[in-house]
């Protein structure tokens, strides 16, 4: 028969194993060695979206990043002088990038999100997303 002391040791070791094992599985987020980068492209129209004034890579545009299933954005950057942005030091997982655009269908006056879903599958991965096109 196993003594009470040995049972307690076995339960303690099992508990330590479970805690260590769970701490090894990381959720999407900061603290990794991967990154996501891209550019924001602007199509600048008149107020009725009938005349295109100009097209360019947008400067100082907010780009947001959501980690996994978070309910609100987890990180934010502004685009550079050439419309580029980058999120560094990410762990493998699912991410959602977005920035806001005017609604070119004129269904609403509110800004609408333009979203890109990105999956980082391994460490030290650098993922380029296709241009995010917004309307102004």
């Amino acid at each position: 028969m196993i003594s009470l002391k040995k049972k307690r040791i076995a339960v303690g070791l099992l508990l330590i194993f479970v805690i260590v094992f769970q701490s090894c599985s990381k959720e999407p987020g900061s603290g990794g060695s991967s990154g996501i980068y891209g550019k924001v492209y602007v199509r600048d129209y008149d107020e009725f979206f009938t005349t295109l004034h100009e097209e360019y890579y947008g400067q100082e545009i907010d780009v947001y990043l959501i980690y996994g299933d978070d309910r609100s954005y987890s990180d934010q950057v502004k685009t550079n002088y050439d419309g580029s942005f980058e999120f560094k030091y990410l762990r493998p997982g699912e991410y959602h990038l977005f920035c806001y655009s005017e609604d070119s269908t004129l269904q609403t006056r509110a800004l609408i999100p333009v979203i890109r879903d990105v999956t980082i599958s391994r460490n030290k991965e650098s993922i380029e997303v296709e241009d995010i096109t917004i309307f102004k």
Side-chain angles (χ1 to χ4, degrees):
M1 180 137 255
I2 300 176
S3 72
L4 183 59
K5 185 176 179 182
K6 287 183 180 179
K7 283 183 183 179
R8 287 183 181 163
I9 291 173
V11 169
L13 289 174
L14 180 61
L15 183 60
I16 290 171
F17 176 75
V18 168
I19 290 170
V20 168
F21 181 72
Q22 285 183 338
S23 68
C24 290
S25 61
K26 304 267 187 195
E27 295 292 319
S30 61
S33 59
S34 297
I36 300 170
Y37 67 98
K39 287 188 169 191
V40 175
Y41 192 71
V42 177
R43 295 181 57 121
D44 194 356
Y45 282 87
D46 67 353
E47 66 180 303
F48 302 106
F49 286 93
T50 55
T51 304
L52 177 63
H53 293 298
E54 60 182 315
E55 298 178 273
Y56 52 91
Y57 283 103
Q59 302 171 345
E60 295 291 315
I61 295 174
D62 292 316
V63 182
Y64 303 90
L65 183 66
I66 299 173
Y67 300 162
D69 294 330
D70 286 357
R71 292 180 184 225
S72 61
Y73 74 89
S74 309
D75 201 356
Q76 171 192 6
V77 297
K78 287 196 179 285
T79 57
N80 246 338
Y81 66 92
D82 62 352
S84 64
F85 64 87
E86 183 173 19
F87 293 96
K88 297 180 179 181
Y89 312 114
L90 300 173
R91 292 191 295 253
E94 300 289 325
Y95 295 89
H96 311 284
L97 284 170
F98 71 95
C99 54
Y100 289 107
S101 172
E102 289 186 16
D103 183 4
S104 63
T105 65
L106 301 175
Q107 297 297 310
T108 180
R109 302 285 298 159
L111 296 175
I112 59 171
V114 179
I115 303 169
R116 297 283 183 273
D117 295 327
V118 180
T119 300
I120 296 176
S121 54
R122 65 182 187 282
N123 290 322
K124 297 182 182 178
E125 188 171 21
S126 186
I127 297 180
E128 180 178 14
V129 297
E130 67 179 66
D131 286 355
I132 299 173
T133 302
I134 63 170
F135 298 100
K136 284 193 168 193

